[in-house]
Amino acid sequence: MNSDIKVAFINPPISTASTASMLTWGYLKTYYNRKGKYPHKIEWIDPPYKFDKYNTVENVYDEISDADIFLFSSYIWNYQINKSIAAYVKKQKPNAITMLGGPQIDVDSEDLINDNHMYDYINVPTSPGELFLLDFLDKYFEQDTLPDPRFIPYEARSSIKLPWEFIDINPYGESFDYFNKLFQYSKDNNLTYYTSFETSRGCPFKCTYCEWGGGTGTKIKTKSIETVKAELDSLRKMGVNYVYYTDANFGAFRERDLDILKYARSLGISVTGISMLKTTNLEKQISLWDAVYDIQDHSASHIRYSLVPSVSIQTVNPEALKIAKRKGLCLEDQLKFAEHLKNKNMKPDIELIRGMPGSTLDDFYEETNIIFTIDPYSQAEVLRFDYMMLPDTEVTREAKENKHGIVTVDVYIDEVNIDKEKFISDLYKNNKSYYKTMSYCNSYTQDEGVQMLMMSFVLNYAMRRFYSEDIGLSSKEFSIATWKAIQHINGFQEIYNEFYDILNPKTPPRNIQQILGRDRLLVVTEWIKTNETDIQSWIYAEAFAEIA
């Protein structure tokens, strides 16, 4: 039988301006303490969290060097940093056990093991990491050799899957001292603390672009309302005043979910990042939204927390929704819903994915009618999401098979682009997080894809600055005229070429968030401001020439 061990957990945050949610660590620890056979043989080391101070992998390692097992939680923004830390761990302690989990794992890659040679075990994304670790630890203590990965449920080389329960636990309460220390450090150092708040896990829908904890196409498993309220009590005791709601479908259990919202509100805790139940029923959607809106504090002082749920449209094209296996309102009902939000003075974030397979350039402009009917608070909230093709999704597998004519391009994001005002450590300075995005597919050309990318930023400013319903044009007609107009303006081709190069599969990967060496939104906005008079004149000329 193997001896007692110490376990470390590593989850670098999205930027040095923030601290990461360590909720996964809380679940892993509490789940094993409740369900495992040998909790008395494990010491759980507090996860390192001072990534605004760490300058090298050595700095991180020094805080957890006593560990025997190192657990890494991998996301798009930190998987490269994790690889560096894991490789350093193996160099310093060759016999240490390293384990990889999280969504940023391409389990379908032929080079999965070679690409992740610094990890001894790999947990399949969206599977129950608690069960994976529990089974490993029990086997570890019951035998003299390391457990064979082929016999660990939800390990990448295993076909074993077991039923599991989302047990009724309050990880914030169970590890209160650590989470309180983490929150107070964030507060004292003016860092954003992502307080994840999970009351259920799983999602019954099967959107091809989505990864979700607990898996897609699965039954939703919930905590009891009593445990959820106890968790909110723990967070309030820390001084937390807002949480990021991580459930996939708020409203799936309507009365329960609204009760949670009311209780959080009574404690002075705002619930943000709410992902609403997907439905094709307009009346049901309006009723749920009205109920949430009546509970939440939606005053202007709280805009930064996005207290009003986001409108998850993704695309107005029914064929694209069908391809993506996405349930949602039809276009006619989307417009009615937008009018309802406008009449209620709700100004939510709007979720659109630019260039979904099946969608067209015409759809892109059609969506402006919805965007500017709702009229969200912040300019930043009307941007279409870049199509981030997560590794363990159906659309990524479809792209490998060239289904729907999908052609992808490698791009990356980096820490410098996320927050230019904060100190950037060497650990983050050269961290390039690569992913694949859509260049083009059967429903639109490469040039049209570039046009949609560029116009996402042009319209963000131009529509607010130049458009009014009084001119007699729909926002769609005005948007199309804007595209024609900017082609007359000095500097257009230089900016267009930059966006074209980003989406060009034949050129080296680019930072998708930068053109001309600077933030893409800033470059485009400054260009429009500099040429504002000429652009406005050309817009009206193009718009009314079309009418004539």
Side-chain angles (χ1 to χ4, degrees), residues 165-207:
E165 57 178 317
F166 185 42
I167 64 173
D168 233 10
I169 56 177
N170 169 14
Y172 288 113
E174 297 273 352
S175 301
F176 181 84
D177 289 344
Y178 172 76
F179 283 111
N180 185 52
K181 178 173 62 176
L182 175 59
F183 175 71
Q184 297 306 326
Y185 180 84
S186 305
K187 186 176 178 180
D188 293 344
N189 291 273
N190 196 31
L191 303 174
T192 299
Y193 177 46
Y194 290 98
T195 315
S196 297
F197 179 57
E198 183 182 44
T199 80
S200 70
R201 195 178 295 181
C203 179
F205 303 110
K206 299 180 180 180
C207 303

Side-chain angles (χ1 to χ4, degrees), residues 107-160:
V107 291
D108 293 321
S109 171
E110 295 180 357
D111 298 319
L112 174 64
I113 304 304
N114 289 335
D115 288 346
N116 295 283
H117 59 86
M118 64 289 296
Y119 300 111
D120 299 306
Y121 297 87
I122 300 174
N123 181 205
V124 174
T126 72
S127 66
E130 295 96 332
L131 190 55
F132 160 81
L133 184 62
L134 179 146
D135 191 86
F136 170 85
L137 290 173
D138 282 353
K139 285 185 170 70
Y140 175 85
F141 288 119
E142 291 172 350
Q143 58 192 54
D144 296 324
T145 58
L146 290 179
D148 189 328
R150 295 174 300 169
F151 303 113
I152 304 296
Y154 302 106
E155 211 282 341
R157 288 154 287 192
S158 170
S159 60
I160 300 173

Side-chain angles (χ1 to χ4, degrees), residues 289-483:
W289 269 74
D290 286 353
V292 171
Y293 193 76
D294 289 342
I295 295 169
Q296 289 279 52
D297 177 1
H298 51 273
S299 62
S301 62
H302 290 287
I303 291 170
R304 62 171 292 206
Y305 299 140
S306 305
L307 300 187
V308 179
S310 57
V311 182
S312 301
I313 299 171
Q314 315 311 359
T315 177
V316 299
N317 185 294
E319 179 62 23
L321 290 174
K322 182 178 178 181
I323 289 172
K325 300 180 181 178
R326 168 76 182 197
K327 287 185 177 291
L329 300 177
C330 65
L331 176 58
E332 180 182 358
D333 283 348
Q334 289 283 16
L335 290 168
K336 290 178 181 178
F337 183 53
E339 281 293 338
H340 176 78
L341 296 180
K342 181 180 181 180
N343 293 336
K344 295 274 288 190
N345 198 33
M346 297 185 197
K347 295 180 181 290
D349 297 355
I350 301 172
E351 292 184 9
L352 289 160
I353 301 176
R354 187 190 66 256
M356 292 177 66
S359 65
T360 66
L361 180 63
D362 186 69
D363 297 327
F364 174 86
Y365 289 113
E366 185 67 54
E367 289 161 358
T368 61
N369 285 330
I370 295 176
I371 291 172
F372 293 98
T373 296
I374 296 175
D375 187 28
Y377 276 121
S378 168
Q379 291 185 11
E381 306 310 332
V382 303
L383 296 178
R384 277 84 165 181
F385 284 115
D386 296 316
Y387 203 124
M388 183 179 288
M389 302 183 70
L390 300 170
D392 190 34
T393 57
E394 185 175 342
V395 71
T396 295
R397 291 185 281 275
E398 289 175 341
K400 291 177 181 179
E401 300 167 0
N402 198 34
K403 197 172 181 180
H404 312 301
I406 295 172
V407 175
T408 63
V409 58
D410 291 320
V411 294
Y412 67 84
I413 56 175
D414 60 28
E415 156 75 3
V416 175
N417 207 66
I418 293 172
D419 195 324
K420 291 180 169 57
E421 303 302 321
K422 294 290 183 179
F423 161 74
I424 311 298
S425 71
D426 288 344
L427 190 62
Y428 277 82
K429 189 174 293 181
N430 298 312
N431 177 44
K432 291 181 171 61
S433 298
Y434 291 86
Y435 68 90
K436 292 184 183 297
T437 190
M438 204 83 66
S439 177
Y440 58 95
C441 61
N442 284 344
S443 58
Y444 59 88
T445 67
Q446 185 173 351
D447 285 326
E448 289 173 338
V450 175
Q451 182 181 156
M452 288 188 280
L453 175 58
M454 182 173 178
M455 287 301 286
S456 295
F457 303 98
V458 171
L459 295 176
N460 193 46
Y461 180 86
M463 286 294 294
R464 296 178 181 279
R465 184 66 176 168
F466 308 138
Y467 179 65
S468 168
E469 292 178 342
D470 296 338
I471 65 175
L473 296 172
S474 69
S475 56
K476 176 183 178 180
E477 292 168 331
F478 192 86
S479 298
I480 294 172
T482 300
W483 166 249

Side-chain angles (χ1 to χ4, degrees), residues 3-275:
S3 59
D4 296 3
I5 58 170
K6 295 181 180 181
V7 177
F9 178 84
I10 302 94
N11 180 24
I14 193 170
S15 96
T16 54
S18 63
T19 49
S21 168
M22 297 297 179
L23 185 59
T24 299
W25 170 79
Y27 275 118
L28 294 172
K29 174 186 173 183
T30 306
Y31 192 87
Y32 191 79
N33 285 343
R34 296 280 188 90
K35 293 286 188 177
K37 297 178 182 178
Y38 310 99
H40 59 285
K41 297 176 72 66
I42 300 175
E43 178 183 339
W44 297 84
I45 298 174
D46 285 354
Y49 56 87
K50 299 178 182 178
F51 283 87
D52 60 319
K53 301 291 194 298
Y54 305 141
N55 203 41
T56 62
V57 294
E58 291 89 339
N59 297 151
V60 181
Y61 175 78
D62 287 346
E63 297 217 0
I64 50 176
S65 59
D66 289 342
D68 304 289
I69 297 179
F70 296 78
L71 312 176
F72 292 85
S73 190
S74 183
Y75 294 85
I76 180 63
W77 56 81
N78 70 14
Y79 76 94
Q80 297 281 33
I81 294 174
N82 276 340
K83 280 188 171 184
S84 298
I85 298 172
Y88 187 79
V89 167
K90 280 299 190 183
K91 182 178 179 182
Q92 299 301 311
K93 300 180 74 170
N95 293 326
I97 299 169
T98 52
M99 309 180 82
L100 175 64
Q104 196 61 28
I105 304 170
D106 187 357
V107 291
D108 293 321
S109 171
E110 295 180 357
D111 298 319
L112 174 64
I113 304 304
N114 289 335
D115 288 346
N116 295 283
H117 59 86
M118 64 289 296
Y119 300 111
D120 299 306
Y121 297 87
I122 300 174
N123 181 205
V124 174
T126 72
S127 66
E130 295 96 332
L131 190 55
F132 160 81
L133 184 62
L134 179 146
D135 191 86
F136 170 85
L137 290 173
D138 282 353
K139 285 185 170 70
Y140 175 85
F141 288 119
E142 291 172 350
Q143 58 192 54
D144 296 324
T145 58
L146 290 179
D148 189 328
R150 295 174 300 169
F151 303 113
I152 304 296
Y154 302 106
E155 211 282 341
R157 288 154 287 192
S158 170
S159 60
I160 300 173
K161 296 181 180 180
L162 298 175
W164 78 290
E165 57 178 317
F166 185 42
I167 64 173
D168 233 10
I169 56 177
N170 169 14
Y172 288 113
E174 297 273 352
S175 301
F176 181 84
D177 289 344
Y178 172 76
F179 283 111
N180 185 52
K181 178 173 62 176
L182 175 59
F183 175 71
Q184 297 306 326
Y185 180 84
S186 305
K187 186 176 178 180
D188 293 344
N189 291 273
N190 196 31
L191 303 174
T192 299
Y193 177 46
Y194 290 98
T195 315
S196 297
F197 179 57
E198 183 182 44
T199 80
S200 70
R201 195 178 295 181
C203 179
F205 303 110
K206 299 180 180 180
C207 303
T208 61
Y209 53 81
C210 185
E211 286 183 345
W212 205 280
T216 56
T218 59
K219 182 179 179 180
I220 301 176
K221 300 182 179 185
T222 63
K223 295 182 185 179
S224 69
I225 189 70
E226 293 77 19
T227 298
V228 173
K229 289 182 176 180
E231 195 165 342
L232 287 167
D233 289 337
S234 298
L235 292 168
R236 181 65 268 180
K237 185 178 177 182
M238 292 180 204
V240 171
N241 61 4
Y242 70 98
V243 295
Y244 290 88
Y245 192 82
T246 64
D247 295 19
N249 288 280
F250 181 93
F253 307 92
R254 181 185 169 103
E255 296 309 315
R256 168 193 179 272
D257 294 350
L258 292 175
D259 191 18
I260 291 170
L261 209 57
K262 291 174 185 176
Y263 189 73
R265 193 76 197 98
S266 73
L267 297 176
I269 296 177
S270 298
V271 181
T272 181
I274 296 175
S275 177

Side-chain angles (χ1 to χ4, degrees), residues 409-411 446 450 453 495-510:
V409 58
D410 291 320
V411 294
Q446 185 173 351
V450 175
L453 175 58
I495 292 174
Y496 179 86
N497 289 346
E498 284 282 286
F499 283 117
Y500 188 93
D501 193 51
I502 288 172
L503 294 184
N504 188 351
K506 298 180 180 180
T507 57
R510 290 273 305 265

